[in-house]
Amino acid sequence: TAPPTEAESDAQVAVELAPGGDPPATPTELPPSPTSSPLSPTATSPSPAQLPALDAITLRLDPVADGFTKPLYLTHAGDGSGRLFVVEQAGRIMIIENGAMNPTPFLDIVSIVGSSGNEQGLLSVAFHPNYPENGRLFVDYTNQQGDTEIAQYTVSSDPNQADPNSGELLLTIDQPYRNHNGGQLVFGPDGYLYIGMGDGGSANDPENRAQNLGTLLGKILRLDVDNAAPYGVPADNPFVGNDQARPEIWSYGWRNPWRISFDRATGDMYVGDVGQNQYEEIDFEAAGAPGGQNYGWRLMEGLHCFNPSSCDPAALGLVLPVAEYDHGQGCSVTGGYAYRGQQFPNLDGIYFYGDYCTGLIWGLRREADGSWSQAQLLSSDRRISSFGEDETGEVYLVDQSGAILSIGGE
């Protein structure tokens, strides 16, 4: 099968892609990350020396709920309720409670969301760390003009319904093309809101936006949503005081970061960055990193020079991915989560990620000696639009065809 076109190679595209070849029999050896620190096991989990080898893990998917319409994300509210919140692309957030979907949306903003493009729509929700006290939540969506908007809403007197009239716009980011909108919102361990922004779209980053510190496209942003309105910039953001850079920027060189998460045990950040036509990548940023890192695009795609075709990553100060795969195994990476749940101790510390087109799921784990192990763990028939995490650290798979499944294994 020919490789997908650019418009067909990113996360929300309904394209059937046959793998170009079988995955390698043994996992690729990956270099240690120069900026990473070893994982810290949870108190109830085996030590790294006791954990089974990755390729000995047997992974399974267990059904949780279905009937969703183009679900793209799953998260929790941190309120002890056990509810799961599922984002639907058209502009609704639905609740799973007691194993079933509530028929009434938690939030319905379909009327203001533009979702005609494959990568447009309501893309994620993040609940404030103090949501039980303040009822604040934040959404990232493309508006009717195709531009990115970050907005805040508040819950109503009914805990199963947000107030649709409470919306307050924090930030609008012009989008020059219909694809590469990023869309992830997540609060970091530092209490700040992180926002993943794609490079603006088209193909090959034609205006080189990801390397341009004067634009918010192709960046991860870091905002303070508590101490200023509509938002503040943390004083320790890396480009504060640089009149050539936007102060909201935390890191740059991103093509289309499709799912960002923090390891709840270590504070480390993982990012799945969607590739151009050859390589998909997973990037890692250790807790305590000062920000300002350049993750390479469009200078590099994965571990390979892209534009220009020859480069010296070390001389350029680029942060290289800790994992990659080529388009023989898929066409669009979906970043996931490091497992920190209690139900499956042998999965502790494994970062799960997958491919949207082929349904392959890999595990990635940082070992006690600082090296990385990875293995393909499952070949599913799922269109993996996202992974998700509940309040207890269990990890879920979001199938864009409409199902939510939990990840388990031994």
Side-chain angles (χ1 to χ4, degrees):
T1 302
T5 64
E6 164 57 21
E8 293 172 332
S9 63
D10 289 319
Q12 265 62 60
V13 186
V15 16
E16 294 293 339
L17 178 73
D22 294 327
T26 56
T28 305
E29 285 297 319
L30 294 163
S33 168
T35 60
S36 58
S37 57
L39 293 173
S40 303
T42 57
T44 58
S45 302
S47 71
Q50 298 171 320
L51 291 169
L54 267 185
D55 56 9
I57 295 288
T58 301
L59 205 65
R60 70 171 192 267
L61 300 175
D62 296 319
V64 174
D66 58 21
F68 297 92
T69 303
K70 292 187 177 179
L72 298 185
Y73 189 56
L74 177 148
T75 190
H76 63 90
D79 60 359
S81 68
R83 296 174 299 171
L84 300 175
F85 294 78
V86 178
V87 172
E88 294 186 337
Q89 188 169 1
R92 298 180 188 87
I93 301 174
M94 309 302 292
I95 292 176
I96 300 174
E97 195 168 22
N98 301 320
M101 177 175 63
N102 288 356
T104 303
F106 174 72
L107 180 65
D108 184 340
I109 53 171
V110 172
S111 62
I112 63 171
V113 171
S115 60
S116 59
N118 286 323
E119 297 175 34
Q120 296 177 331
L122 177 58
L123 302 177
S124 72
V125 61
F127 291 84
H128 192 281
N130 294 322
Y131 178 78
E133 289 76 40
N134 63 30
R136 300 167 69 197
L137 57 130
F138 299 81
V139 291
D140 183 312
Y141 60 89
T142 50
N143 63 20
Q144 297 284 358
Q145 290 72 46
D147 297 321
T148 291
E149 293 189 348
I150 314 297
Q152 171 185 287
Y153 287 81
T154 54
V155 70
S156 72
S157 57
D158 179 350
N160 281 342
Q161 282 196 279
D163 178 358
N165 298 314
S166 64
E168 297 179 24
L169 193 61
L170 273 68
L171 181 61
T172 300
I173 301 172
D174 290 344
Q175 291 286 357
Y177 305 100
R178 288 157 63 92
N179 57 338
H180 299 186
N181 298 305
Q184 179 73 58
L185 298 182
V186 59
F187 280 93
D190 53 14
Y192 294 126
L193 181 65
Y194 290 74
I195 303 170
M197 293 300 303
D199 65 7
S202 185
N204 307 308
D205 194 5
E207 285 82 29
N208 201 24
R209 291 184 169 93
Q211 292 295 317
N212 178 1
L213 293 174
T215 173
L216 300 181
L217 298 171
K219 314 298 188 296
I220 291 177
L221 314 180
R222 179 178 184 245
L223 307 184
D224 180 346
V225 296
D226 290 315
N227 297 303
Y231 65 86
V233 172
D236 60 349
N237 268 15
F239 299 108
V240 168
N242 180 342
D243 60 7
Q244 302 300 309
R246 290 289 298 264
E248 298 95 335
I249 296 171
W250 176 252
S251 60
Y252 65 110
W254 299 105
R255 185 175 177 276
N256 194 32
W258 186 247
R259 299 313 179 211
I260 302 167
S261 66
F262 288 92
D263 182 335
R264 61 170 59 198
T266 66
D268 300 327
M269 180 195 289
Y270 289 86
V271 183
D273 197 21
V274 178
Q276 180 62 46
N277 290 324
Q278 287 187 277
Y279 301 102
E280 305 296 311
E281 69 183 69
I282 298 294
D283 295 280
F284 174 88
E285 185 172 292
Q293 289 90 340
N294 182 352
Y295 286 86
W297 176 252
R298 70 182 185 181
L299 296 166
M300 299 187 72
E301 180 188 15
L303 294 164
H304 311 269
C305 298
F306 183 82
N307 184 5
S309 57
S310 61
C311 65
D312 184 343
L316 293 167
L318 306 181
V319 180
L320 299 179
V322 294
E324 71 165 24
Y325 62 92
D326 64 29
H327 280 198
Q329 300 178 71
C331 82
S332 183
V333 68
T334 299
Y337 291 82
Y339 181 87
R340 297 296 182 184
Q342 303 300 311
Q343 293 188 33
F344 307 103
N346 283 344
L347 303 185
D348 186 63
I350 299 176
Y351 173 79
F352 294 107
Y353 65 98
D355 188 82
Y356 171 77
C357 298
T358 60
L360 295 178
I361 299 172
W362 291 267
L364 177 68
R365 185 175 66 198
R366 189 162 173 77
E367 306 297 355
D369 64 358
S371 65
W372 291 92
S373 297
Q374 71 167 348
Q376 181 187 314
L377 298 179
L378 190 65
S379 178
S380 78
D381 59 352
R382 302 294 177 173
R383 191 165 292 284
I384 307 171
S385 58
S386 191
F387 293 85
E389 185 183 46
D390 69 16
E391 194 169 356
T392 67
E394 300 302 322
V395 176
Y396 298 80
L397 181 149
V398 180
D399 181 343
Q400 194 185 18
S401 301
I404 306 297
L405 304 103
S406 61
I407 291 178
E410 300 298 339

